[in-house]
Amino acid sequence: MSPELGHLSLWLAFGLAAIVAVVPLIGAHRGDARLMAVAEPLAVGQFLFVALAFAALTQAFIVSDFSVRLVVASSHTDKPLLYKISGVWGNHEGSLLLWMVILTLFAAAVAAFGRNLPVSFRARVLSVQSMIATGFLAFILFTSNPFERLIPAPPQGQGLNPLLQDPGLAFHPPLLYLGYVGFSIAFSFAVAALIDGRIGPTWARWVRPWTLAAWMALTAGIALGSWWAYYELGWGGWWFWDPVENASLMPWLAGTALLHSAIVVEKRDALKSWTILLAIMTFSLSLLGTFLVRSGVLTSVHAFATDPARGVFILALLALTVGGALTLYAWRAASLEASGLYRPVSREGMLVVNNLFLAVSAATVLLGTLYPLIVDGLLGEKITVAAPFFNTITVALAPGFLLAMAIGPLMAWKRGSLKSVVKDLRPAIVGTALFAVFTLVALDGEWAPLMGLVLGVWLVLATAMELAKRIKLFSTPPWVSLRRLVGLPKRQWGLTLGHLGLAVTILGIAGSEAFTVEKLVTVSRGQSVEAGPYTFIFEGVNPAAGPNYTAVEGHFRVQRGRQTVARLAPEERTYTSPPNTTTEAAIKPLWHGDLYAVVGEPEQGGWSARLYYKPLVSWIWAGAGLMVVGGAISLTDRRRRVGAPTRAKADRADASAGPKSVAAPAE
């Protein structure tokens, strides 16, 4: 499979995308079924051609075809196969091609699985999706060709950044892009509905499964990237408020708000205007992240160092996409009147509060991320917005958000009762208060992490109380409660696991921040170092070798009392292609915390080392896993699995009609 075939495939995909961007939209406007009918097969064709191009580039990396400039820049014959393959997206051009594979995959999925959507609406969605594809395919073909030849071909490549030669980084970008790009479908659904002018509960039912799938992938991608930073960079941290980290967090916050806001549209035909705006802004934040990574305006281990011309191209795409959508929104916003009324003290009210906190959090992260760039551009001054700013805002917003999150599921729709909710939550309130007193009296640490522990316990107990109420625990015989538990709808299990997952993550963050014991020492053979209840005993070093590196491997025996609980073998690796040195932490996960060791450079009298005991830190990723599992269970619910209820044959005669504002069935 030649690079020329891959390049030709991209041009063919570009042609198909340009056709779908225009023809079905005209057909939907005229009510012409023949013009609308071209959307589905051509959307699938786009995906097949882009996938063929990606396969061609992957083969070039696997066989080390150094006549392709990109392979020279990002690969080496000595690299293991996994990192040859991950090298495909370990650079600007290849990662953008992966971006396009996922973008066209979602369009093909709508074409294949959206048959129960009205024909005109489906045509508009695929047309908007193809407009985005047209812009990015043009970007690839005219500024970022991954198949550019290099003649004469050098005998060897330059290799991939050793920090990226890791299983975590091999799978992190595809998951992250599934989330980033997956939100494009919510964007396309929103723009298509604005064009049609009718938005209601049915539209919310259509958009939620696609949004949930993207949110799950983004959650998993962020968690995997956080885990990579934790064990690969060797400094024991899992989040650095790096601008590119923030670029993935912002659409996650907006996407979480979108999921909750769509519930209100579906149940109460309210918040329509706000939900449409969230759908637009969520994908806009994804595009902003793409601009930050590829424009060269920031320096990060995650960023691709590219020329400013590419940044200008992406900025133009961002302006056209977001500007066009917001212009359409401004034109239609006045017609998006809510028909569902509700009191502030209700489930809808709590979901609105939830949305406000998430929106303010996303806006704050956006401000902190862009402010240094704005100051640099306007005043020419270099400033940094560091972790204390983001941590302070997070700590300030978290209590209100978690309070609303715990109360919301217990509230009645339309009109709730605080008195009733307080009664239901009485055990959670008492339990949280007792834990808070114990935390403040018995534990010594910074107040912010200790508050995080209290909030995490609060959310666990409140979620348990909500589940107990649903199964009528203690108010009916145990076998009746068990039967109700088994019979709970999948969407309820998804909600419960999602909220518990967030609580577990908060406990992991707070526990690790409050109680981590860190020792930066120089150790000699036989020396022991105390870290919390554990003793690290240094047993020396020995040389080691990998497929494309040499290493110094340290050896630590970890004891608790007289019992050996772990043996750790951290490494300091030296790569030659390209020349670089990395640290590989050795970690022993325990249910209550991690034992963590890093060996560094030789020093007078021994070796430098970082030794940690990090309580609860693995709960951060366990909680993220629970959130993803909860989302997956919810997605398998029959009513969530398909974007809209199957229409009767009589209704299909009206298939060309757009989404109607009809009430969703009550739950």
Side-chain angles (χ1 to χ4, degrees):
M1 191 180 300
S2 71
E4 282 72 25
L5 177 60
H7 194 203
L8 176 61
S9 296
L10 286 180
W11 276 106
L12 292 172
F14 176 73
L16 294 183
I19 294 171
V20 181
V22 177
V23 174
L25 202 60
I26 296 174
H29 179 69
R30 294 178 177 177
D32 189 327
R34 291 177 302 172
L35 295 182
M36 290 187 284
V38 307
E40 294 172 30
L42 295 192
V44 174
Q46 288 177 58
F47 168 67
L48 293 177
F49 280 124
V50 174
L52 180 62
F54 188 79
L57 185 62
T58 302
Q59 186 199 38
F61 271 82
I62 290 174
V63 302
S64 297
D65 182 357
F66 295 127
S67 69
V68 178
R69 185 182 297 274
L70 190 63
V71 179
V72 175
S74 302
S75 191
H76 192 279
T77 53
D78 293 338
K79 281 200 316 180
L81 178 61
L82 174 63
Y83 303 134
K84 286 184 178 181
I85 295 174
S86 64
V88 174
W89 54 81
N91 53 76
H92 166 72
E93 293 85 354
S95 67
L96 200 60
L97 185 55
L98 176 63
W99 210 95
M100 283 306 308
V101 169
I102 296 171
L103 183 73
T104 54
L105 172 63
F106 272 93
V110 170
F113 301 113
R115 298 299 177 90
N116 52 347
L117 298 173
V119 174
S120 63
F121 183 71
R122 184 169 67 249
R124 288 187 175 104
V125 169
L126 292 176
S127 183
V128 174
Q129 193 77 359
S130 294
M131 291 178 189
I132 302 170
T134 302
F136 276 92
L137 283 168
F139 180 49
I140 292 175
L141 289 167
F142 297 120
T143 73
S144 308
N145 179 14
F147 298 104
E148 184 179 349
R149 290 286 195 175
L150 186 61
I151 301 175
Q156 192 53 272
Q158 299 172 8
L160 180 68
N161 183 344
L163 286 174
L164 305 182
Q165 295 185 38
D166 180 86
L169 258 290
F171 300 105
H172 163 62
L175 280 172
L176 206 62
Y177 288 4
L178 275 170
Y180 269 154
V181 185
F183 285 128
S184 65
I185 289 295
F187 175 88
S188 296
F189 270 64
V191 173
L194 286 171
I195 293 172
D196 185 75
R198 288 180 287 181
I199 299 163
T202 305
W203 175 85
R205 289 178 64 85
W206 294 340
V207 79
R208 280 195 71 218
W210 301 98
T211 305
L212 181 58
W215 180 88
M216 287 163 49
L218 187 57
T219 302
I222 291 173
L224 191 57
S226 169
W227 167 243
W228 168 80
Y230 172 65
Y231 72 80
E232 176 66 23
L233 299 184
W235 49 280
W238 53 272
W239 193 266
F240 197 58
W241 293 108
D242 178 281
V244 181
E245 290 177 342
N246 295 349
S248 65
L249 179 61
M250 289 183 289
W252 186 88
L253 291 169
T256 305
L258 173 59
L259 278 174
H260 290 81
S261 182
I263 296 173
V264 182
V265 179
E266 179 182 347
K267 301 297 183 185
R268 300 294 305 147
D269 196 23
L271 297 187
K272 292 188 290 188
S273 179
W274 171 245
T275 304
I276 289 289
L277 182 60
L278 276 176
I280 294 171
M281 296 312 299
T282 300
F283 183 57
S284 300
L285 289 171
S286 297
L287 291 178
L288 177 64
T290 302
F291 167 71
L292 291 175
V293 171
R294 302 168 195 282
S295 62
V297 300
L298 55 84
T299 301
S300 165
V301 69
H302 309 76
F304 301 108
T306 59
D307 61 88
R310 289 174 175 173
V312 171
F313 198 114
I314 296 179
L315 192 60
L317 281 177
L318 180 64
L320 285 172
T321 304
V322 180
L326 290 178
T327 300
L328 183 59
Y329 173 80
W331 178 43
R332 291 289 197 184
S335 64
L336 302 180
E337 296 180 1
S339 61
L341 301 177
Y342 57 89
R343 295 238 177 134
V345 180
S346 62
R347 187 176 298 190
E348 297 96 319
M350 290 301 101
L351 287 169
V352 169
V353 172
N354 166 294
N355 264 233
L356 288 175
F357 279 109
L358 288 168
V360 170
S361 298
T364 302
V365 175
L366 177 64
L367 175 63
T369 304
L370 296 184
Y371 187 70
L373 303 179
I374 295 171
V375 171
D376 186 20
L378 295 179
L379 305 177
E381 298 179 4
K382 301 290 184 182
I383 66 168
T384 301
V385 177
F389 167 79
F390 297 104
N391 291 339
T392 301
I393 296 299
T394 300
V395 170
L397 294 175
F401 169 70
L402 295 176
L403 181 65
M405 185 176 178
I407 291 176
L410 288 162
M411 281 281 186
W413 291 103
K414 192 174 181 179
R415 179 183 301 172
S417 168
L418 272 179
K419 183 178 179 180
S420 175
V421 170
V422 170
K423 181 180 177 181
D424 292 333
L425 286 175
R426 192 177 299 160
I429 294 170
V430 173
T432 304
L434 291 175
F435 180 79
V437 171
F438 168 78
T439 301
L440 294 174
V441 171
L443 303 180
D444 182 24
E446 296 182 12
W447 69 272
L450 297 182
M451 185 182 73
L453 289 171
V454 173
L455 291 173
V457 168
W458 156 254
L459 187 54
V460 169
L461 295 178
T463 303
M465 290 302 99
E466 193 267 341
L467 184 63
K469 182 182 179 182
R470 283 190 175 272
I471 65 174
K472 297 186 177 180
L473 189 64
F474 306 127
S475 63
T476 59
W479 59 87
V480 176
S481 294
L482 180 61
R483 188 167 64 245
R484 291 179 64 89
L485 180 68
V486 173
L488 280 177
K490 291 180 179 179
R491 65 185 180 277
Q492 178 61 37
W493 281 112
L495 180 149
T496 300
L497 290 177
H499 286 194
L500 281 177
L502 180 60
V504 170
T505 294
I506 291 170
L507 289 171
I509 293 170
S512 61
E513 290 294 320
F515 307 123
T516 289
V517 179
E518 175 186 11
K519 295 296 178 72
L520 307 179
V521 293
T522 299
V523 290
S524 55
R525 188 181 183 90
Q527 183 177 346
S528 62
V529 180
E530 303 290 332
Y534 295 95
T535 302
F536 290 74
I537 302 171
F538 184 55
E539 296 181 336
V541 301
N542 62 268
N548 60 337
Y549 64 84
T550 59
V552 172
E553 186 178 73
H555 294 274
F556 291 89
R557 185 174 77 255
V558 186
Q559 295 185 177
R560 184 164 189 167
R562 295 186 177 182
Q563 181 182 5
T564 298
V565 296
R567 291 185 177 273
L568 303 178
E571 294 180 351
E572 184 178 65
R573 295 179 179 177
T574 301
Y575 292 81
T576 56
S577 300
N580 207 339
T581 300
T582 67
T583 57
E584 298 292 319
I587 304 171
K588 173 65 176 179
L590 303 171
W591 74 268
H592 54 77
D594 285 6
L595 304 172
Y596 186 110
V598 177
V599 68
E601 298 289 338
E603 296 185 1
Q604 186 174 3
W607 293 80
S608 63
R610 287 176 174 261
L611 307 174
Y612 298 88
Y613 170 55
K614 303 183 75 66
L616 303 186
V617 69
S618 58
W619 290 27
I620 297 172
W621 303 289
L626 272 178
M627 285 188 272
V628 173
V629 170
I633 292 174
S634 181
L635 200 60
T636 61
D637 190 299
R638 183 179 62 84
R639 291 183 298 171
R640 300 288 182 249
R641 184 169 60 245
V642 179
T646 302
R647 293 170 294 153
K649 291 182 179 180
D651 295 332
R652 289 172 186 162
D654 191 34
S656 62
K660 298 179 180 179
S661 298
V662 296
E667 294 190 359

